[in-house]
């Protein structure tokens, strides 16, 4: 079942949708030494065998929260990603905890200026009032809520799906 954010069943989406970009109106909050960002200006990407990844407007992050770091990766769907360390207001650092696509591919142009956060590398993330569980593994950055149904990639033995 695919509809608005409140009734997406990713168990279906994982089999039926490959790389769908959606604007969301959910309230998204990321906490790391305080609130880094609280916004309804977000996109989410649904990919086969993944919980959604949320992309948040870079300009809405707490001032000086994002510092670009060296290195990049390439996604066949979205293009070249660059990475960021996140600095909390109290000064602590989460290394390579966020990424963006500065020149996304034509099917993901809306992601320009938006940044995704690994929920495993910050203190807490929320979709509306629900705390997110991080997708297993250190490659994917999916956000798991009670609306998300397994199975999905990330854990041991799932890389080759």
């Amino acid at each position: 079942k695919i509809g608005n954010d409140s009734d997406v069943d990713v168990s279906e989406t994982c089999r039926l949708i490959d790389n769908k970009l959606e604007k969301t109106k959910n309230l998204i909050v990321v906490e790391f030494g305080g609130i880094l960002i609280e916004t309804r200006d977000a996109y989410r990407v649904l990919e086969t065998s993944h919980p959604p990844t949320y992309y948040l407007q870079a300009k809405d992050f707490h001032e000086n929260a994002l510092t670009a770091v060296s290195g990049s990766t390439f996604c066949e769907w979205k293009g070249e990603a660059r990475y960021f360390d996140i600095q909390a207001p109290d000064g602590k650092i989460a290394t390579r905890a966020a990424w963006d696509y500065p020149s996304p591919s034509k099917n993901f142009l809306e992601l320009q200026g938006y940044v995704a956060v690994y929920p495993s590398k910050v203190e807490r993330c929320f979709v509306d009032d629900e705390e997110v569980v991080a997708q297993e593994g250190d490659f994917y950055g999916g956000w798991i809520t009670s609306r998300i149904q397994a199975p999905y990639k990330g854990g041991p033995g799932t890389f080759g799906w």
Side-chain angles (χ1 to χ4, degrees), residues 2-140:
I2 301 167
N4 65 39
D5 290 340
S6 63
D7 64 8
V8 170
D9 176 355
V10 172
S11 65
E12 289 291 318
T13 339
C14 288
R15 292 190 299 273
L16 300 174
I17 291 195
D18 205 14
N19 304 308
K20 180 176 179 171
L21 176 66
E22 295 180 335
K23 187 75 170 164
T24 181
K25 293 188 175 159
N26 294 101
L27 178 62
I28 307 299
V29 178
V30 176
E31 294 180 358
F32 185 63
I35 294 177
L36 287 178
I37 185 169
E38 184 173 5
T39 185
R40 290 186 187 275
D41 185 4
Y43 285 94
R44 67 183 192 162
V45 173
L46 302 172
E47 297 183 71
T48 302
S49 302
H50 296 280
T53 301
Y54 287 84
Y55 289 80
L56 317 171
Q57 189 62 270
K59 68 178 181 60
D60 292 341
F61 278 81
H62 187 275
E63 187 176 357
N64 301 316
L66 302 172
T67 302
V69 296
S70 62
S72 64
T73 58
F74 184 79
C75 170
E76 64 185 298
W77 307 108
K78 294 180 283 300
E80 188 171 349
R82 69 176 169 181
Y83 291 85
F84 298 89
D85 287 349
I86 294 178
Q87 182 171 339
D90 65 4
K92 71 180 159 183
I93 304 287
T95 305
R96 294 177 65 86
W99 74 97
D100 76 352
Y101 295 93
S103 299
S105 65
K106 68 178 181 171
N107 292 332
F108 290 90
L109 288 174
E110 292 92 339
L111 292 182
Q112 192 162 30
Y114 286 75
V115 174
V117 173
Y118 287 105
S120 63
K121 295 190 175 193
V122 295
E123 290 164 356
R124 301 191 308 170
C125 296
F126 294 87
V127 176
D128 294 324
D129 292 327
E130 184 176 355
E131 187 169 353
V132 168
V133 174
Q135 182 178 9
E136 281 189 82
D138 60 358
F139 182 75
Y140 305 108

